[in-house]
């Protein structure tokens, strides 16, 4: 009887140990499953976070202005019809020729330029001056940007043949030698005694009016 009871006791202990072992395995599996779900959620959040800037960058890229091609000039600002023009386009337009003399870092310069009047190029973009104001165009100005972020400003009256005696040109050649298409046109300002506003590698013409600055300063 004693031996039978001992066997029964041993069997009971074995069953209890097996039950505990099974319970532990189940709990471990549940824990691992929960941890896996957490890791998955973290991974998804991280992936979403990393995808967000990419999507934003893509949207910004679409909204940005298309880059200019070599030698291309963008005409914009306060105009109704912004557009871009190349040397090839300028060569197809009516040309004017001018002999100029000016001083530069290299000394006195004398050249003959051929090109298109700047006024004609800007007129095509239809500047939006206030017609309700007397001589509203006299409130206008033009910013010309060239290679290396070089920039010069002109009053509209300096380029408008209705007010100016000489014509500012977008030159396509100098002394009979055509400019390289990739270099773009050069501004030629016959009335200037120094060559500071002879903007080379021209890439942008921007039309504006002084009213927002002057009126905002009151």
């Amino acid at each position: 009887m004693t031996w039978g009871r001992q066997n029964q006791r041993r069997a009971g202990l074995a069953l209890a140990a097996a039950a505990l072992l099974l319970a532990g395995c189940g709990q471990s599996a549940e824990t691992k499953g929960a941890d896996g779900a957490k890791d998955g959620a973290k991974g998804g959040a991280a992936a979403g976070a990393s995808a967000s800037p990419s999507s934003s960058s893509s949207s910004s890229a679409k909204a940005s202005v298309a880059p200019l091609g070599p030698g291309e000039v963008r005409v914009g600002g306060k105009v109704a019809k912004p557009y871009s023009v190349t040397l090839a386009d300028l060569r197809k337009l009516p040309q004017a020729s001018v002999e100029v003399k000016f001083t530069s870092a290299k000394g006195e310069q004398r050249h003959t330029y051929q090109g298109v009047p700047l006024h004609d190029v800007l007129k095509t973009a239809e500047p939006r001056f206030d017609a309700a104001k007397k001589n509203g165009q006299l409130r206008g100005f033009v910013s010309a940007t060239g290679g290396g972020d070089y920039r010069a400003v002109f009053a509209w009256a300096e380029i408008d043949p209705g007010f100016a005696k000489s014509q500012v040109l977008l030159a396509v050649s100098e002394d009979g030698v055509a400019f390289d298409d990739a270099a773009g046109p050069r501004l030629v300002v016959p009335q200037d005694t120094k060559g500071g506003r002879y903007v080379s590698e021209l890439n942008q013409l921007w039309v504006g009016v002084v009213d927002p600055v002057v009126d905002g300063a009151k």
Side-chain angles (χ1 to χ4, degrees), residues 28-82:
S28 176
E30 290 175 1
T31 303
K32 289 181 179 179
D35 290 342
K38 290 178 181 178
D39 291 342
K42 290 179 181 178
S50 62
S52 179
S54 176
S55 301
S56 176
S57 299
S58 177
S59 299
S60 299
K62 291 179 181 178
S64 64
V65 179
L68 289 171
E72 189 175 9
V73 181
R74 180 175 288 125
V75 183
K78 194 174 178 61
V79 298
K81 297 179 179 180

Side-chain angles (χ1 to χ4, degrees), residues 126-192:
E126 298 183 8
R128 295 183 297 180
F129 300 130
D130 191 347
K133 298 185 183 298
K134 183 178 180 179
N135 289 328
Q137 69 271 38
L138 297 185
R139 300 165 181 252
F141 66 89
V142 179
S143 170
T145 304
D149 195 34
Y150 189 85
R151 184 167 290 162
V153 176
F154 298 80
W156 185 263
E158 293 182 89
I159 66 172
D160 189 331
F163 296 93
K165 289 184 177 181
S166 59
Q167 291 184 315
V168 179
L169 295 185
L170 264 70
V172 300
S173 67
E174 179 185 77
D175 300 328
V177 180
F179 291 134
D180 187 282
D181 284 350
R186 183 183 191 187
L187 274 185
V188 172
V189 194
Q191 66 265 35
D192 285 6

Side-chain angles (χ1 to χ4, degrees), residues 102-125:
F102 59 91
T103 59
S104 71
K106 297 179 180 180
E108 185 177 274
Q109 303 286 314
R110 291 177 179 268
H111 297 289
T112 298
Y113 289 100
Q114 186 175 24
V116 180
L118 175 59
H119 182 261
D120 291 351
V121 174
L122 297 177
K123 187 172 61 176
T124 300

